[in-house]
């Protein structure tokens, strides 16, 4: 099943209650605005994942059954 962006934006307007599903149609201006919001959201999510990750490795002796360990700093 293909789910188009137009369907996604329309369903978002219907679900939010801004446009009544049985009484109104999503206008072209609303579709454009919804697409801009969607693109903005996707760009933000993509940008968050593309950051440089910093990891610090710890070496420790682990004990069977111990659930918590203190990590300095």
């Amino acid at each position: 099943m293909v789910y188009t962006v137009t369907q996604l934006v329309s369903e978002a307007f219907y679900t939010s209650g801004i446009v009544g599903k049985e009484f109104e149609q999503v206008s072209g201006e609303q579709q454009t605005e919804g697409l801009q919001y969607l693109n903005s959201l996707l760009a933000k999510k993509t940008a968050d994942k593309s950051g440089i990750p910093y990891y610090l490795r710890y070496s420790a002796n682990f004990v069977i059954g111990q659930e918590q360990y203190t990590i300095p700093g």
Side-chain angles (χ1 to χ4, degrees):
M1 180 178 126
V2 176
Y3 197 68
T4 65
V5 174
T6 306
Q7 290 172 313
L8 177 66
V9 171
S10 296
E11 287 297 321
F13 274 103
Y14 296 145
T15 303
S16 67
I18 295 173
V19 176
K21 190 169 190 170
E22 296 181 17
F23 305 111
E24 300 177 88
Q25 296 249 344
V26 178
S27 70
E29 186 176 326
Q30 290 170 323
Q31 285 286 347
T32 302
E33 186 177 349
L35 181 59
Q36 288 172 346
Y37 281 123
L38 179 61
N39 284 337
S40 176
L41 176 69
L42 293 174
K44 182 174 172 37
K45 290 295 183 182
T46 303
D48 288 346
K49 290 186 177 187
S50 66
I52 301 171
Y54 292 96
Y55 295 101
L56 183 58
R57 289 187 181 255
Y58 290 99
S59 59
N61 295 322
F62 296 103
V63 179
I64 296 175
Q66 183 173 346
E67 294 182 10
Q68 295 182 354
Y69 293 91
T70 304
I71 298 175

